[in-house]
Amino acid sequence: MVNTESEATKNIIRVSHPTAPLSVYNHKLAGALRKRSHAALKEVLAITEEIKANKIKFDQVTYNALLIAYTRAGQSDKAIATLKEMIDQAIKPTVDSFNIILDSLATYKDACSKQEALVEMMKEQSVELTPMSYQHLVRGATSANDLAKVKQWLDSMKTLHVDPTLLTFNYAVHCCFENADADTALQCLSEAEALQLPVGTEPRMLMDLVRVTAINDKTEAMVAMWEKTVNKYGLRPDEGTCLQVLRLSGKTGNTAMASEVIRQLSNNGYPYKEHYFIPLMEAFVVKGDLKNAFHVLDIMRTSGVEPTKRSTFAISVQLSENVDHIDKAYYLLEEIKKEGNNVDVAAFNMVVQACGLAKDIGRTVATYREAEQLGVTPNTDTFNAVLDACYLAKMKGMGQVVIQELKKSNVTPNSDTYAKMIAITCDQRDYEEVFVYLEEMKSKGMTPPRLTYNILANRLARARDPRFHLVLEEMETFGYKPSANLKSQW
């Protein structure tokens, strides 16, 4: 990248003849500009005052030094005023003069109008825009997140046959990413490569291209950009970029891409996490390969990640849409068992939960009863799935049976378990056990959810049980404000 200020500073030394009176001052100005911004401005202003005191007229070099000093100090308005003074004094500004100010304005979100005003001044002074001028204009539009303006400047360059710099494309692609415009971003890359610009030296541009193609579900383009960015140029994508690529890979059934991204995350030093593997499982399901989706659960455990309901919920939802799919999933579990392999409890829970989501209490209980035959020991998620199905199906009796089986097991209930146990017991004629569950829950440091209190309070209100008021007080203790409707139940 050519630095506008450094070029202008060099011109301070080149333009003035060393024997001319002004050249001595311009040489001092060049030295002053090497200092820190505010110190430089103070010294530059002192030198220019001395020039005026000696009744010496400024030249282009002198004015450019002032422009640099003002813009470095963040005083672009004074720089613009100085530029206008320069024109009033019949000193024709150079393209450097304009570029100095265009560059300083480029980082402000509201600078587009000021930049455009400078472009009009350039036209009036018959100063042509250079590639650097356009770079500053595109950067300014990007700072303002004005994609339409970015496109306007890019179109202008094409019309005038001005080749964009690599940074111009970089800024444009970033603006495209911020506005989810994958097509324009890809066009920028194509043009940059046609100009044989070293795109591999701009990692942000390449990462933005991976991101924008992923969030727009452009699968082929995303895979191509990943190949270019990660495999060709050896860049390391951040976690957020990887997660976007994983999401699309899972959605489109691209198991190879999902597997590669998980390896890349590990290579980048990220410890394996549960949500890394979920898209891989979903990708296998999209491909109709449920058996390998189950196998991912084994990979997770081998990688030190404990699968939970979160890992399998999306797949359970898909299976629940068709009971034939649920039955197929169950038969796969049987097949895995017959092959002499262990059936992962998370895979078993996935099928149980799918039955519950399908509101098929018969299949839910029947599948749950097959745990021992499949060599599966039910865990907390298993009982939660069955209890949830019982509650939704209003199967009070079966719910109580499962609760009793849970108590006899070595499974430790979690907050979700207790909430379901309370909800089911509230539907019984004898609901005294609810208070036992509630106290157990609190004694284990769990905060009962608002919904649990609402269910309990409504049950007490129906029974005209005075403990209704105690429950409302306890709700407020936990920061839950009882609704007017709930209070009106008594």
Side-chain angles (χ1 to χ4, degrees), residues 407 418 431-441 443:
K407 289 179 179 179
Y418 279 115
Y431 55 84
E432 285 301 317
E433 199 75 11
V434 163
F435 295 99
V436 175
Y437 301 150
L438 192 64
E439 290 308 313
E440 280 184 18
M441 192 177 188
S443 69

Side-chain angles (χ1 to χ4, degrees), residues 162-179:
V162 177
D163 290 337
T165 65
L166 181 56
L167 275 178
T168 300
F169 285 122
N170 187 341
Y171 298 134
V173 167
H174 186 68
C175 193
C176 290
F177 163 62
E178 293 291 343
N179 290 274

Side-chain angles (χ1 to χ4, degrees), residues 220-413:
E220 290 185 12
M222 180 272 287
V223 171
M225 284 312 310
W226 177 276
E227 175 65 28
K228 187 187 298 286
T229 302
V230 179
N231 298 331
K232 180 179 179 180
Y233 291 116
L235 300 177
R236 298 172 65 181
D238 58 83
E239 186 180 31
T241 301
C242 289
L243 291 178
Q244 283 291 354
V245 175
L246 273 174
R247 179 198 63 80
L248 183 56
S249 300
K251 181 179 179 179
T252 57
N254 194 334
T255 55
M257 187 79 254
S259 299
E260 183 175 338
V261 175
I262 293 171
R263 284 195 297 273
Q264 185 65 44
L265 282 162
S266 177
N267 292 339
N268 289 355
Y270 294 103
Y272 288 123
K273 299 172 187 174
E274 184 178 16
H275 59 273
Y276 292 173
F277 296 91
I278 296 173
L280 179 56
M281 278 193 289
E282 292 173 349
F284 277 118
V285 172
V286 170
K287 291 176 68 174
D289 190 353
L290 191 57
K291 192 172 184 178
N292 269 319
F294 288 154
H295 181 58
V296 174
L297 297 169
D298 295 330
I299 296 173
M300 291 174 69
R301 293 188 190 280
T302 303
S303 303
V305 177
E306 184 76 17
T308 66
K309 174 182 174 180
R310 179 186 178 191
S311 306
T312 59
F313 183 74
I315 299 174
S316 293
V317 171
Q318 291 182 51
L319 293 176
S320 69
E321 294 172 358
N322 189 318
V323 292
D324 290 339
H325 293 164
I326 296 175
D327 290 342
K328 180 183 177 182
Y330 176 77
Y331 296 144
L332 279 173
L333 296 180
E334 288 188 324
E335 184 180 316
I336 291 170
K337 178 65 176 175
K338 288 176 182 176
E339 291 172 351
N341 298 315
N342 293 328
V343 175
D344 195 293
V345 66
F348 177 73
N349 292 343
M350 183 194 303
V351 179
V352 174
Q353 186 172 44
C355 295
L357 292 170
K359 298 183 180 179
D360 190 332
I361 188 63
R363 269 187 171 80
T364 304
V365 175
T367 305
Y368 162 65
R369 294 293 182 211
E370 294 298 319
E372 185 175 355
Q373 182 180 331
L374 292 171
V376 173
T377 301
N379 62 8
T380 305
D381 285 340
T382 312
F383 284 105
N384 285 349
V386 180
L387 288 172
D388 198 37
C390 291
Y391 178 70
L392 292 174
K394 303 298 181 184
M395 296 289 289
K396 306 174 187 177
M398 181 53 67
Q400 285 300 320
V401 169
V402 175
I403 288 174
Q404 293 308 312
E405 292 180 3
L406 170 61
K407 289 179 179 179
K408 293 176 183 177
S409 71
N410 292 321
V411 175
T412 302

